[in-house]
Amino acid sequence: MKSPEFKTISAVAHPNIAFIKYWGNRDQALRLPCNSSLSMNLSGLETRTTVRFDPHLTRDVFVFSGEVVVGPVLERVSSFLDRIRSLAKLNVYAHIISRNNFPAGAGIASSASAFAALALAASHAVGLDLNEQELSRLARRGSGSASRSIPGGFVEWQAGTSDADSFAFSIAPANHWDLVDLVCVLDSTHKSVGSTGGHALADSSPLQPIRLAHVRERVDQCRKAILERDFESFAQVVEEDSNFMHAVMRTSNPPLHYWLPETEIVLWNVLNWRKEGIPACSTVDAGPNVHVLVLSEYASEIENQLAELSGVQKIFKASPGPGASLC
Ligand code: DP6
């Protein structure tokens, strides 16, 4: 066993919002997704994580928001660190301190920024110098969507066919397009079935093969729309893809109903605003909160209108953000 000097390393990563969703794995353990996905990192929202491997520890210690974490969350973090320990060929436990600058239950999936920041900090802390592709593959093992929080700006995660070719890469830098994500928080309580449990149910829906049948076309349309800054085409495919995912969720066995009546109210208003010529569209992840995507020049106007809608408790505003970095 090696006994190298261990450094204390910190990293920052941003959550991301998927325009074309990841839902269902072809290999649950490796987190090889059924389909490729597209997303944008969210600037201003972040996870900061500090890692130090310590030969004196008898187990991993994980402190999140000032609280020592035990149970399934610690187990998930520990088994992710096992992957790094095996890559580095060492058997030393780590001390991890992590903090988000956005609250839990804000409608922003925190596992993406959490595992992206942890992958970067922990790999450096053991002396591994992984490139972006390797980091994205590593982050994927912690949480699928975390693979997309490693590269910057607008990001594609190619599904691939094996661990080696399932990683994410940037398709355009953050300054490519002035999009704003207005995250409408309708309910901040914890969801009963999280993404990991949800992915495992995807195949129980008779609609999952139908969702997957044309997902490549949706990825192509969405990528093209982003590259050409074609909001109308982007809006159409983003809403269609979110609706496909929720159709699969609702028809899973057991069914997953993430929406609230207020979710539908926001979606309905966004559709109407677009009919009136305002470039806004919506997408919903595994929860009731709605991400309203809008061109930045309309962001304040739409934010004010969203704030008036029934059930909107809070709105977070984010623009395209950078990839994960050491800090
Ligand atoms: C609905 O990446 O959170 O947000 O790999 O089990 O951690 P795990 O799942 P996760 O799933 C994200 C699901 C989604 C869609 C998306 O972000 O693509």
Side-chain angles (χ1 to χ4, degrees):
M1 203 216 301
K2 296 199 272 182
S3 57
E5 288 287 298
F6 292 108
K7 291 190 194 143
T8 301
I9 304 284
S10 298
V12 59
H14 303 270
N16 64 73
I17 179 63
F19 302 144
I20 302 294
K21 308 293 190 189
Y22 148 51
W23 197 246
N25 285 309
R26 62 154 94 178
D27 183 321
Q28 196 81 7
L30 289 177
R31 285 192 159 84
L32 296 180
C34 294
N35 63 279
S36 298
S37 52
L38 279 172
S39 62
M40 162 181 119
N41 287 341
L42 301 176
S43 77
L45 307 169
E46 62 185 39
T47 301
R48 277 179 189 264
T49 300
T50 300
V51 179
R52 181 171 44 83
F53 283 82
D54 181 346
H56 300 107
L57 290 174
T58 53
R59 58 176 183 86
D60 293 315
V61 178
F62 178 38
V63 180
F64 181 70
S65 289
E67 307 270 348
V68 175
V69 177
V70 292
V73 174
L74 175 63
E75 281 163 32
R76 184 168 175 182
V77 166
S78 269
S79 67
F80 179 72
L81 291 175
D82 286 344
R83 174 93 203 110
I84 295 176
R85 283 186 273 262
S86 105
L87 284 173
K89 298 188 177 49
L90 59 85
N91 194 12
V92 176
Y93 292 107
H95 194 268
I96 305 129
I97 301 175
S98 190
R99 196 174 280 283
N100 292 343
N101 74 347
F102 54 95
I108 301 154
S110 57
S111 63
S113 50
F115 282 99
L118 183 59
L120 184 58
S123 59
H124 274 267
V126 292
L128 292 171
D129 189 15
L130 305 180
N131 63 29
E132 186 182 278
Q133 235 178 64
E134 292 166 329
L135 276 169
S136 175
R137 285 173 48 216
L138 174 63
R140 190 198 79 229
R141 301 289 288 270
S143 174
S145 54
S147 66
R148 298 188 309 237
S149 282
I150 295 288
F154 296 84
V155 174
E156 177 166 347
W157 171 16
Q158 63 176 32
T161 52
S162 67
D163 173 49
D165 62 358
S166 186
F167 56 83
F169 50 88
S170 210
I171 60 161
N175 64 3
H176 167 72
W177 201 14
D178 278 346
L179 269 189
V180 170
D181 181 6
L182 298 168
V183 190
C184 294
V185 180
L186 305 171
D187 179 19
S188 55
T189 55
H190 214 71
K191 54 198 177 198
S192 54
V193 179
S195 303
T196 306
H199 290 297
L201 292 176
D203 278 341
S204 69
S205 163
L207 297 186
Q208 173 75 338
I210 297 169
R211 183 184 85 87
L212 292 174
H214 295 287
V215 71
R216 269 176 202 237
E217 283 99 311
R218 291 198 297 280
V219 169
D220 289 345
Q221 180 180 339
C222 189
R223 187 195 309 106
K224 187 165 184 281
I226 292 169
L227 295 179
E228 294 176 358
R229 302 184 192 91
D230 177 348
F231 193 88
E232 197 47 50
S233 170
F234 174 79
Q236 182 269 320
V237 75
V238 166
E239 289 183 354
E240 181 177 294
D241 190 79
S242 176
N243 285 329
F244 265 119
M245 181 181 73
H246 286 276
V248 167
M249 290 163 160
R250 288 168 173 221
T251 50
S252 296
N253 184 13
L256 299 172
H257 290 280
Y258 286 115
W259 294 7
L260 290 170
E262 290 81 2
T263 308
E264 195 66 70
I265 292 174
V266 178
L267 299 182
W268 190 85
N269 275 279
V270 170
L271 274 176
N272 273 340
W273 294 332
R274 194 153 81 256
K275 276 187 206 141
E276 288 162 11
I278 293 172
C281 68
S282 59
T283 187
V284 186
D285 278 343
N289 304 318
V290 184
H291 293 250
V292 178
L293 302 160
V294 56
L295 291 180
S296 69
E297 59 204 283
Y298 295 87
S300 300
E301 179 188 339
I302 295 295
E303 188 178 3
N304 291 338
Q305 297 206 44
L306 286 168
E308 297 293 311
L309 298 182
S310 139
V312 175
Q313 296 176 358
K314 190 166 171 50
I315 301 171
F316 288 94
K317 192 172 176 178
S319 5
S325 60
L326 295 173
C327 55

